[in-house]
PDB file of all heavy atoms in Angstrom:
ATOM      1  N   GLY A   1     155.164 192.034  16.009  1.00 98.00           N
ATOM      2  CA  GLY A   1     154.596 190.721  15.721  1.00 98.00           C
ATOM      3  C   GLY A   1     153.873 190.113  16.903  1.00 98.00           C
ATOM      4  O   GLY A   1     153.911 190.652  18.018  1.00 98.00           O
ATOM      5  N   GLY A   2     153.219 188.991  16.640  1.00 97.00           N
ATOM      6  CA  GLY A   2     152.575 188.238  17.708  1.00 97.00           C
ATOM      7  C   GLY A   2     153.590 187.386  18.437  1.00 97.00           C
ATOM      8  O   GLY A   2     153.744 187.462  19.651  1.00 97.00           O
ATOM      9  N   LEU A   3     154.327 186.586  17.680  1.00 96.00           N
ATOM     10  CA  LEU A   3     155.401 185.754  18.218  1.00 96.00           C
ATOM     11  C   LEU A   3     156.568 185.767  17.227  1.00 96.00           C
ATOM     12  O   LEU A   3     156.347 185.917  16.017  1.00 96.00           O
ATOM     13  CB  LEU A   3     154.931 184.308  18.417  1.00 96.00           C
ATOM     14  CG  LEU A   3     153.989 184.009  19.583  1.00 96.00           C
ATOM     15  CD1 LEU A   3     153.447 182.590  19.459  1.00 96.00           C
ATOM     16  CD2 LEU A   3     154.718 184.179  20.918  1.00 96.00           C
ATOM     17  N   PRO A   4     157.796 185.579  17.689  1.00 97.00           N
ATOM     18  CA  PRO A   4     158.943 185.542  16.773  1.00 97.00           C
ATOM     19  C   PRO A   4     159.058 184.206  16.058  1.00 97.00           C
ATOM     20  O   PRO A   4     159.956 183.407  16.312  1.00 97.00           O
ATOM     21  CB  PRO A   4     160.136 185.801  17.710  1.00 97.00           C
ATOM     22  CG  PRO A   4     159.698 185.275  19.038  1.00 97.00           C
ATOM     23  CD  PRO A   4     158.212 185.541  19.103  1.00 97.00           C
ATOM     24  N   ILE A   5     158.138 183.938  15.161  1.00 94.00           N
ATOM     25  CA  ILE A   5     158.115 182.711  14.368  1.00 94.00           C
ATOM     26  C   ILE A   5     158.150 183.090  12.890  1.00 94.00           C
ATOM     27  O   ILE A   5     157.742 184.197  12.524  1.00 94.00           O
ATOM     28  CB  ILE A   5     156.869 181.854  14.679  1.00 94.00           C
ATOM     29  CG1 ILE A   5     155.579 182.647  14.454  1.00 94.00           C
ATOM     30  CG2 ILE A   5     156.935 181.318  16.114  1.00 94.00           C
ATOM     31  CD1 ILE A   5     154.303 181.844  14.650  1.00 94.00           C
ATOM     32  N   PRO A   6     158.641 182.200  12.026  1.00 95.00           N
ATOM     33  CA  PRO A   6     158.827 182.544  10.612  1.00 95.00           C
ATOM     34  C   PRO A   6     157.612 183.157   9.896  1.00 95.00           C
ATOM     35  O   PRO A   6     157.790 184.129   9.147  1.00 95.00           O
ATOM     36  CB  PRO A   6     159.246 181.203   9.987  1.00 95.00           C
ATOM     37  CG  PRO A   6     159.968 180.511  11.089  1.00 95.00           C
ATOM     38  CD  PRO A   6     159.197 180.860  12.342  1.00 95.00           C
ATOM     39  N   PRO A   7     156.374 182.633  10.081  1.00 93.00           N
ATOM     40  CA  PRO A   7     155.247 183.240   9.371  1.00 93.00           C
ATOM     41  C   PRO A   7     154.972 184.696   9.780  1.00 93.00           C
ATOM     42  O   PRO A   7     154.245 185.404   9.094  1.00 93.00           O
ATOM     43  CB  PRO A   7     154.065 182.344   9.755  1.00 93.00           C
ATOM     44  CG  PRO A   7     154.673 181.047  10.151  1.00 93.00           C
ATOM     45  CD  PRO A   7     155.955 181.424  10.819  1.00 93.00           C
ATOM     46  N   VAL A   8     155.557 185.125  10.901  1.00 96.00           N
ATOM     47  CA  VAL A   8     155.425 186.505  11.375  1.00 96.00           C
ATOM     48  C   VAL A   8     156.621 187.343  10.944  1.00 96.00           C
ATOM     49  O   VAL A   8     156.471 188.404  10.324  1.00 96.00           O
ATOM     50  CB  VAL A   8     155.282 186.544  12.913  1.00 96.00           C
ATOM     51  CG1 VAL A   8     155.382 187.971  13.438  1.00 96.00           C
ATOM     52  CG2 VAL A   8     153.956 185.918  13.337  1.00 96.00           C
ATOM     53  N   THR A   9     157.810 186.868  11.241  1.00 98.00           N
ATOM     54  CA  THR A   9     159.007 187.677  10.975  1.00 98.00           C
ATOM     55  C   THR A   9     159.261 187.875   9.485  1.00 98.00           C
ATOM     56  O   THR A   9     159.917 188.842   9.098  1.00 98.00           O
ATOM     57  CB  THR A   9     160.249 187.060  11.632  1.00 98.00           C
ATOM     58  OG1 THR A   9     160.459 185.734  11.129  1.00 98.00           O
ATOM     59  CG2 THR A   9     160.077 187.011  13.152  1.00 98.00           C
ATOM     60  N   ILE A  10     158.725 187.006   8.640  1.00 98.00           N
ATOM     61  CA  ILE A  10     158.893 187.183   7.200  1.00 98.00           C
ATOM     62  C   ILE A  10     158.256 188.488   6.734  1.00 98.00           C
ATOM     63  O   ILE A  10     158.796 189.193   5.875  1.00 98.00           O
ATOM     64  CB  ILE A  10     158.330 185.969   6.421  1.00 98.00           C
ATOM     65  CG1 ILE A  10     158.652 186.091   4.927  1.00 98.00           C
ATOM     66  CG2 ILE A  10     156.832 185.805   6.646  1.00 98.00           C
ATOM     67  CD1 ILE A  10     158.268 184.862   4.122  1.00 98.00           C
ATOM     68  N   PHE A  11     157.104 188.851   7.317  1.00 98.00           N
ATOM     69  CA  PHE A  11     156.473 190.137   7.002  1.00 98.00           C
ATOM     70  C   PHE A  11     157.380 191.289   7.441  1.00 98.00           C
ATOM     71  O   PHE A  11     157.563 192.277   6.719  1.00 98.00           O
ATOM     72  CB  PHE A  11     155.148 190.279   7.760  1.00 98.00           C
ATOM     73  CG  PHE A  11     153.971 189.548   7.196  1.00 98.00           C
ATOM     74  CD1 PHE A  11     153.658 188.272   7.636  1.00 98.00           C
ATOM     75  CD2 PHE A  11     153.139 190.137   6.258  1.00 98.00           C
ATOM     76  CE1 PHE A  11     152.549 187.600   7.160  1.00 98.00           C
ATOM     77  CE2 PHE A  11     152.019 189.483   5.767  1.00 98.00           C
ATOM     78  CZ  PHE A  11     151.720 188.207   6.220  1.00 98.00           C
ATOM     79  N   MET A  12     157.918 191.164   8.652  1.00 98.00           N
ATOM     80  CA  MET A  12     158.704 192.237   9.243  1.00 98.00           C
ATOM     81  C   MET A  12     160.012 192.446   8.492  1.00 98.00           C
ATOM     82  O   MET A  12     160.461 193.583   8.288  1.00 98.00           O
ATOM     83  CB  MET A  12     158.924 191.936  10.723  1.00 98.00           C
ATOM     84  CG  MET A  12     157.598 191.817  11.488  1.00 98.00           C
ATOM     85  SD  MET A  12     157.720 191.030  13.106  1.00 98.00           S
ATOM     86  CE  MET A  12     158.303 192.405  14.106  1.00 98.00           C
ATOM     87  N   ASP A  13     160.613 191.341   8.027  1.00 98.00           N
ATOM     88  CA  ASP A  13     161.824 191.438   7.217  1.00 98.00           C
ATOM     89  C   ASP A  13     161.554 192.195   5.916  1.00 98.00           C
ATOM     90  O   ASP A  13     162.316 193.091   5.531  1.00 98.00           O
ATOM     91  CB  ASP A  13     162.344 190.031   6.874  1.00 98.00           C
ATOM     92  CG  ASP A  13     163.073 189.358   8.019  1.00 98.00           C
ATOM     93  OD1 ASP A  13     163.427 190.044   8.998  1.00 98.00           O
ATOM     94  OD2 ASP A  13     163.294 188.138   7.926  1.00 98.00           O
ATOM     95  N   GLY A  14     160.498 191.799   5.230  1.00 98.00           N
ATOM     96  CA  GLY A  14     160.174 192.451   3.965  1.00 98.00           C
ATOM     97  C   GLY A  14     159.865 193.926   4.144  1.00 98.00           C
ATOM     98  O   GLY A  14     160.289 194.778   3.338  1.00 98.00           O
ATOM     99  N   PHE A  15     159.129 194.244   5.203  1.00 98.00           N
ATOM    100  CA  PHE A  15     158.762 195.635   5.500  1.00 98.00           C
ATOM    101  C   PHE A  15     160.024 196.479   5.728  1.00 98.00           C
ATOM    102  O   PHE A  15     160.177 197.567   5.151  1.00 98.00           O
ATOM    103  CB  PHE A  15     157.866 195.655   6.739  1.00 98.00           C
ATOM    104  CG  PHE A  15     157.337 197.014   7.111  1.00 98.00           C
ATOM    105  CD1 PHE A  15     156.233 197.548   6.463  1.00 98.00           C
ATOM    106  CD2 PHE A  15     157.922 197.742   8.137  1.00 98.00           C
ATOM    107  CE1 PHE A  15     155.721 198.791   6.814  1.00 98.00           C
ATOM    108  CE2 PHE A  15     157.427 198.985   8.503  1.00 98.00           C
ATOM    109  CZ  PHE A  15     156.323 199.515   7.839  1.00 98.00           C
ATOM    110  N   ALA A  16     160.933 195.962   6.544  1.00 98.00           N
ATOM    111  CA  ALA A  16     162.169 196.689   6.841  1.00 98.00           C
ATOM    112  C   ALA A  16     163.006 196.893   5.578  1.00 98.00           C
ATOM    113  O   ALA A  16     163.577 197.973   5.357  1.00 98.00           O
ATOM    114  CB  ALA A  16     162.983 195.939   7.896  1.00 98.00           C
ATOM    115  N   ASP A  17     163.062 195.876   4.728  1.00 98.00           N
ATOM    116  CA  ASP A  17     163.844 195.993   3.496  1.00 98.00           C
ATOM    117  C   ASP A  17     163.204 196.974   2.513  1.00 98.00           C
ATOM    118  O   ASP A  17     163.912 197.664   1.763  1.00 98.00           O
ATOM    119  CB  ASP A  17     164.007 194.628   2.841  1.00 98.00           C
ATOM    120  CG  ASP A  17     165.122 193.804   3.467  1.00 98.00           C
ATOM    121  OD1 ASP A  17     165.869 194.358   4.300  1.00 98.00           O
ATOM    122  OD2 ASP A  17     165.243 192.616   3.132  1.00 98.00           O
ATOM    123  N   GLY A  18     161.881 197.031   2.516  1.00 98.00           N
ATOM    124  CA  GLY A  18     161.199 197.995   1.652  1.00 98.00           C
ATOM    125  C   GLY A  18     161.507 199.423   2.062  1.00 98.00           C
ATOM    126  O   GLY A  18     161.712 200.308   1.212  1.00 98.00           O
ATOM    127  N   VAL A  19     161.551 199.667   3.364  1.00 98.00           N
ATOM    128  CA  VAL A  19     161.919 200.996   3.864  1.00 98.00           C
ATOM    129  C   VAL A  19     163.369 201.304   3.487  1.00 98.00           C
ATOM    130  O   VAL A  19     163.689 202.409   3.025  1.00 98.00           O
ATOM    131  CB  VAL A  19     161.742 201.073   5.399  1.00 98.00           C
ATOM    132  CG1 VAL A  19     162.271 202.395   5.935  1.00 98.00           C
ATOM    133  CG2 VAL A  19     160.266 200.909   5.772  1.00 98.00           C
ATOM    134  N   ALA A  20     164.248 200.319   3.650  1.00 98.00           N
ATOM    135  CA  ALA A  20     165.664 200.510   3.309  1.00 98.00           C
ATOM    136  C   ALA A  20     165.834 200.822   1.824  1.00 98.00           C
ATOM    137  O   ALA A  20     166.673 201.653   1.437  1.00 98.00           O
ATOM    138  CB  ALA A  20     166.464 199.263   3.685  1.00 98.00           C
ATOM    139  N   TYR A  21     165.035 200.158   0.985  1.00 98.00           N
ATOM    140  CA  TYR A  21     165.105 200.399  -0.462  1.00 98.00           C
ATOM    141  C   TYR A  21     164.647 201.820  -0.789  1.00 98.00           C
ATOM    142  O   TYR A  21     165.228 202.493  -1.645  1.00 98.00           O
ATOM    143  CB  TYR A  21     164.246 199.368  -1.192  1.00 98.00           C
ATOM    144  CG  TYR A  21     164.368 199.407  -2.696  1.00 98.00           C
ATOM    145  CD1 TYR A  21     165.516 198.938  -3.324  1.00 98.00           C
ATOM    146  CD2 TYR A  21     163.336 199.914  -3.492  1.00 98.00           C
ATOM    147  CE1 TYR A  21     165.643 198.955  -4.706  1.00 98.00           C
ATOM    148  CE2 TYR A  21     163.444 199.944  -4.873  1.00 98.00           C
ATOM    149  CZ  TYR A  21     164.608 199.469  -5.472  1.00 98.00           C
ATOM    150  OH  TYR A  21     164.732 199.504  -6.837  1.00 98.00           O
ATOM    151  N   TYR A  22     163.603 202.269  -0.097  1.00 98.00           N
ATOM    152  CA  TYR A  22     163.135 203.646  -0.279  1.00 98.00           C
ATOM    153  C   TYR A  22     164.243 204.621   0.101  1.00 98.00           C
ATOM    154  O   TYR A  22     164.542 205.575  -0.632  1.00 98.00           O
ATOM    155  CB  TYR A  22     161.891 203.907   0.574  1.00 98.00           C
ATOM    156  CG  TYR A  22     161.363 205.324   0.468  1.00 98.00           C
ATOM    157  CD1 TYR A  22     160.454 205.677  -0.530  1.00 98.00           C
ATOM    158  CD2 TYR A  22     161.783 206.315   1.366  1.00 98.00           C
ATOM    159  CE1 TYR A  22     159.975 206.977  -0.641  1.00 98.00           C
ATOM    160  CE2 TYR A  22     161.317 207.617   1.259  1.00 98.00           C
ATOM    161  CZ  TYR A  22     160.410 207.935   0.264  1.00 98.00           C
ATOM    162  OH  TYR A  22     159.939 209.238   0.148  1.00 98.00           O
ATOM    163  N   ASN A  23     164.870 204.391   1.237  1.00 98.00           N
ATOM    164  CA  ASN A  23     165.944 205.272   1.697  1.00 98.00           C
ATOM    165  C   ASN A  23     167.094 205.316   0.693  1.00 98.00           C
ATOM    166  O   ASN A  23     167.668 206.379   0.417  1.00 98.00           O
ATOM    167  CB  ASN A  23     166.470 204.807   3.058  1.00 98.00           C
ATOM    168  CG  ASN A  23     165.490 205.080   4.185  1.00 98.00           C
ATOM    169  OD1 ASN A  23     164.628 205.956   4.078  1.00 98.00           O
ATOM    170  ND2 ASN A  23     165.622 204.333   5.277  1.00 98.00           N
ATOM    171  N   LYS A  24     167.414 204.157   0.128  1.00 98.00           N
ATOM    172  CA  LYS A  24     168.520 204.075  -0.823  1.00 98.00           C
ATOM    173  C   LYS A  24     168.202 204.829  -2.112  1.00 98.00           C
ATOM    174  O   LYS A  24     169.034 205.593  -2.627  1.00 98.00           O
ATOM    175  CB  LYS A  24     168.823 202.607  -1.138  1.00 98.00           C
ATOM    176  CG  LYS A  24     169.946 202.395  -2.135  1.00 98.00           C
ATOM    177  CD  LYS A  24     170.158 200.913  -2.415  1.00 98.00           C
ATOM    178  CE  LYS A  24     171.240 200.696  -3.461  1.00 98.00           C
ATOM    179  NZ  LYS A  24     171.421 199.247  -3.765  1.00 98.00           N
ATOM    180  N   THR A  25     167.008 204.638  -2.623  1.00 98.00           N
ATOM    181  CA  THR A  25     166.655 205.245  -3.910  1.00 98.00           C
ATOM    182  C   THR A  25     166.316 206.724  -3.785  1.00 98.00           C
ATOM    183  O   THR A  25     166.470 207.476  -4.752  1.00 98.00           O
ATOM    184  CB  THR A  25     165.472 204.513  -4.568  1.00 98.00           C
ATOM    185  OG1 THR A  25     164.343 204.526  -3.675  1.00 98.00           O
ATOM    186  CG2 THR A  25     165.833 203.071  -4.883  1.00 98.00           C
ATOM    187  N   LYS A  26     165.878 207.155  -2.613  1.00 98.00           N
ATOM    188  CA  LYS A  26     165.458 208.547  -2.421  1.00 98.00           C
ATOM    189  C   LYS A  26     166.449 209.359  -1.587  1.00 98.00           C
ATOM    190  O   LYS A  26     166.212 210.538  -1.320  1.00 98.00           O
ATOM    191  CB  LYS A  26     164.089 208.590  -1.730  1.00 98.00           C
ATOM    192  CG  LYS A  26     162.984 207.873  -2.478  1.00 98.00           C
ATOM    193  CD  LYS A  26     162.601 208.618  -3.730  1.00 98.00           C
ATOM    194  CE  LYS A  26     161.368 207.989  -4.389  1.00 98.00           C
ATOM    195  NZ  LYS A  26     160.981 208.703  -5.624  1.00 98.00           N
ATOM    196  N   SER A  27     167.531 208.711  -1.153  1.00 98.00           N
ATOM    197  CA  SER A  27     168.501 209.362  -0.264  1.00 98.00           C
ATOM    198  C   SER A  27     167.818 209.932   0.976  1.00 98.00           C
ATOM    199  O   SER A  27     168.043 211.084   1.374  1.00 98.00           O
ATOM    200  CB  SER A  27     169.255 210.473  -1.021  1.00 98.00           C
ATOM    201  OG  SER A  27     170.003 209.928  -2.085  1.00 98.00           O
ATOM    202  N   LYS A  28     166.962 209.114   1.583  1.00 98.00           N
ATOM    203  CA  LYS A  28     166.240 209.493   2.801  1.00 98.00           C
ATOM    204  C   LYS A  28     166.742 208.654   3.969  1.00 98.00           C
ATOM    205  O   LYS A  28     167.592 207.773   3.805  1.00 98.00           O
ATOM    206  CB  LYS A  28     164.733 209.284   2.616  1.00 98.00           C
ATOM    207  CG  LYS A  28     164.111 210.091   1.488  1.00 98.00           C
ATOM    208  CD  LYS A  28     164.077 211.569   1.817  1.00 98.00           C
ATOM    209  CE  LYS A  28     163.327 212.350   0.735  1.00 98.00           C
ATOM    210  NZ  LYS A  28     163.274 213.795   1.031  1.00 98.00           N
ATOM    211  N   ASN A  29     166.180 208.909   5.142  1.00 98.00           N
ATOM    212  CA  ASN A  29     166.583 208.143   6.321  1.00 98.00           C
ATOM    213  C   ASN A  29     165.370 207.829   7.191  1.00 98.00           C
ATOM    214  O   ASN A  29     165.346 208.138   8.378  1.00 98.00           O
ATOM    215  CB  ASN A  29     167.634 208.906   7.129  1.00 98.00           C
ATOM    216  CG  ASN A  29     168.230 208.058   8.247  1.00 98.00           C
ATOM    217  OD1 ASN A  29     168.347 206.842   8.121  1.00 98.00           O
ATOM    218  ND2 ASN A  29     168.582 208.697   9.348  1.00 98.00           N
TER     219      ASN A  29
END
């Protein structure tokens, strides 16, 4: 991110959760 502020970290949170969801559904890491 540019700075650790909500309009930035909200993207990063969603991105990380999307990867986690992929790992869960596909049994990947």
Side-chain angles (χ1 to χ4, degrees):
L3 286 170
I5 57 176
V8 170
T9 59
I10 186 174
F11 281 93
M12 300 164 81
D13 283 346
F15 184 81
D17 279 352
V19 174
Y21 187 73
Y22 179 88
N23 288 337
K24 179 181 177 182
T25 57
K26 301 290 187 180
S27 297
K28 300 290 186 180
N29 188 32

